[in-house]
Amino acid sequence: MIPGPDMVIGCPRCGALHRRWSLASGNTFGAVLWSDGWFEAPMRPLPPLVARCMGCHAFFWVARAVELGHVDRVTSQCGETFTTLTLESTGARRIEVMQRLRSDLGMGLQEVKHFVAQLPARLGEYDHLGTARHIADRFEELGARVSSTRIVTQPDVPMPPREWTEAPQVQDVSEALFLDALREGLATTSDEERELRQWAWWQGNKAYRRDAPWVPLAQRTPQVRDNAEALMTLCALDDAEHRWMHAELLRELERFEEALTILNLPPFPALEPGLESLRDAARRADSRLLPLPAGSAPAVEP
């Protein structure tokens, strides 16, 4: 995973500035697909879906915010390092040093005479430290004195405005905040509502992906149970992914017979062997969140 620049975005309502991270590249090594449909890829995390504005406190869709520019998090990689060599003095073997200037650096006779008369004078700039060291050694073995200076240059890149670099980072939204966003009317279509409710469910299950003792949806707060019920009503039974979501919600609500009824509806294309894992858990009255074999269900893409 290689981080990209921070993108600077403005709140659609008040214009307050925020930064959101980006990825230059990522991969799915070590990824895990969970029974609730969450695809966890440590080397390719999903960007924030929504955010609460730090200015007006309204919720907004991060991907829909206007991008104003970007702030590079690492700028040192853009610099160049080189070594400058300076001939300080020729020492007692002046004629030999002058001959080496001609042979090693390609100077003409008059150029060498002028060069030596102006000491200290710069021998040259070198990208590789080893090359600079070799040239310095060649002159020092004749008794000349050579100094070196390491210089790091930065390209002439305009600095971003201070308000961009000081803008707060967009933070991941918790289950409770996703539910707040729903109550405040962020979703304007059924698809948006389903997406927000699904993310609230995923965030509510987050701790259980890290060995926290399992608590079924049926035993969580009324708000969490209400979200699960509302999400099920938004799942179309003629859509395989929606049926998977509906069945998993029923299983986590400990309504195992209803879950099995949906899991047994044909067809469920390309969802094996995860489908059989869910059926087996429902038959055993097991409501726990499950990691599934790769390829069991469609993964969520960034």
Side-chain angles (χ1 to χ4, degrees):
M1 178 176 68
I2 301 176
D6 283 349
M7 308 309 296
V8 181
I9 59 176
C11 169
R13 176 176 289 185
C14 73
L17 299 181
H18 301 73
R19 287 190 296 161
R20 67 166 180 84
W21 56 264
S22 70
L23 287 181
S25 68
N27 60 67
T28 57
F29 296 145
V32 178
L33 174 64
W34 294 87
S35 54
D36 60 359
W38 177 254
F39 187 66
E40 185 174 23
M43 303 300 288
R44 197 182 67 181
L46 289 174
L49 181 71
V50 301
R52 168 162 265 175
C53 176
M54 299 295 288
C56 65
H57 304 294
F59 288 98
F60 64 91
W61 299 90
V62 173
R64 300 179 192 175
V66 176
E67 290 186 0
L68 305 174
H70 67 271
V71 176
D72 288 320
R73 293 199 251 178
V74 179
T75 58
S76 61
Q77 295 176 352
C78 300
E80 292 183 290
T81 301
F82 61 91
T83 302
T84 297
L85 296 181
T86 301
L87 181 62
E88 303 287 347
S89 66
T90 61
R93 301 164 67 177
R94 179 184 179 92
I95 298 301
E96 292 176 77
V97 170
M98 292 174 68
Q99 290 173 341
R100 187 143 293 173
L101 286 169
R102 295 190 67 183
S103 63
D104 287 16
L105 301 185
M107 292 184 180
L109 180 57
Q110 294 303 317
E111 186 181 4
V112 167
K113 289 180 179 179
H114 179 74
F115 183 88
V116 170
Q118 302 294 322
L119 295 183
R122 190 170 65 180
L123 287 170
E125 297 176 351
Y126 305 92
D127 294 333
H128 300 288
L129 181 59
T131 302
R133 186 68 264 165
H134 172 73
I135 291 173
D137 288 345
R138 292 270 293 165
F139 284 94
E140 288 175 346
E141 68 185 12
L142 297 176
R145 184 161 60 89
V146 179
S147 64
S148 65
T149 305
R150 293 276 283 173
I151 298 174
V152 178
T153 63
Q154 293 292 338
D156 187 17
V157 177
M159 293 297 292
R162 182 176 178 181
E163 57 267 27
W164 287 14
T165 61
E166 294 180 352
Q169 282 278 359
V170 168
Q171 301 297 316
D172 286 332
V173 175
S174 66
E175 176 186 33
L177 288 177
F178 271 112
L179 297 179
D180 285 346
L182 282 159
R183 281 191 290 270
E184 292 181 20
L186 182 63
T188 57
T189 68
S190 59
D191 286 342
E192 291 178 353
E193 180 183 352
R194 181 171 53 250
E195 190 170 20
L196 291 179
R197 292 193 183 281
Q198 186 175 29
W199 274 76
W201 176 34
W202 283 338
Q203 288 296 90
N205 277 345
K206 186 175 181 179
Y208 308 113
R209 307 181 211 280
R210 296 291 177 269
D211 300 323
W214 173 249
V215 177
L217 284 176
Q219 298 177 29
R220 300 187 204 175
T221 65
Q223 293 83 358
V224 172
R225 296 198 302 272
D226 289 346
N227 183 63
E229 294 287 349
L231 182 52
M232 285 190 292
T233 66
L234 294 167
C235 293
L237 292 182
D238 60 353
D239 183 289
E241 292 181 46
H242 288 190
R243 290 209 308 278
W244 178 292
M245 191 189 313
H246 194 162
E248 176 64 7
L249 286 162
L250 287 169
R251 191 180 67 85
E252 292 184 24
L253 285 164
E254 299 182 307
R255 292 159 58 177
F256 302 110
E257 291 300 325
E258 293 174 77
L260 275 171
T261 298
I262 292 181
L263 290 170
N264 289 329
L265 288 174
F268 246 117
L271 301 185
E272 297 285 0
L275 179 59
E276 191 51 43
S277 297
L278 295 191
R279 286 185 181 130
D280 179 64
R283 293 187 193 106
R284 292 184 287 102
D286 182 356
S287 67
R288 289 175 300 172
L289 189 66
L290 303 172
L292 298 176
S296 299
V300 176
E301 293 292 338

